[in-house]
Amino acid sequence: MSERFDLAADLAAGVRDKDSAWTFIRRFAEAWMTPLRDGDGYTAEELNAVEQRLGLKLPDALREAYMLFGKRADLCGTLHFLQPPDELRVDEDSGLLLYQHENQGVWERYIRVADLDMDDPPTVQSSDCDHDEHQGL
């Protein structure tokens, strides 16, 4: 790494947009874990198959995340789990695509199907939405 990783400064810079987030994740992984490398993510073909199975197009930001680091358990499989692509599912009643969950099942994160055409759509957490199984959280 050519310059020192400063968690506070790099994180502040990393929340501006998705490209800044990918820079943050690369720098974080290099400084604190193992640098990102080829094979850490899913292939376009794997994600295309998921889109075909679901009958929808994943937002660019989610596709890019899966392709960049989706197989890295140290980045997306310890406390908060990024759903493996073959486990992505849409709850037809709520119109939500589940893409992340917490390790104890306390919350899940979703993207509204209506927002999937956005490059970097907002997300909702199970306690923020009207998903029946999470009422009262």
Side-chain angles (χ1 to χ4, degrees), residues 93-106:
D93 293 333
S94 63
L96 299 171
L97 171 70
L98 172 67
Y99 75 95
Q100 188 181 32
H101 68 276
E102 187 264 342
N103 71 326
Q104 295 178 21
V106 174

Side-chain angles (χ1 to χ4, degrees), residues 52-76:
Q52 186 170 0
R53 174 180 60 84
L54 294 172
L56 53 82
K57 183 182 177 314
L58 299 175
D60 289 345
L62 187 58
R63 274 186 74 91
E64 290 171 18
Y66 276 115
M67 292 176 75
L68 183 62
F69 59 84
K71 293 181 179 180
R72 286 280 299 262
D74 58 341
L75 292 173
C76 55

Side-chain angles (χ1 to χ4, degrees), residues 42-61:
Y42 292 90
T43 66
E45 293 77 23
E46 289 171 304
L47 297 176
N48 292 342
V50 169
E51 290 176 336
Q52 186 170 0
R53 174 180 60 84
L54 294 172
L56 53 82
K57 183 182 177 314
L58 299 175
D60 289 345

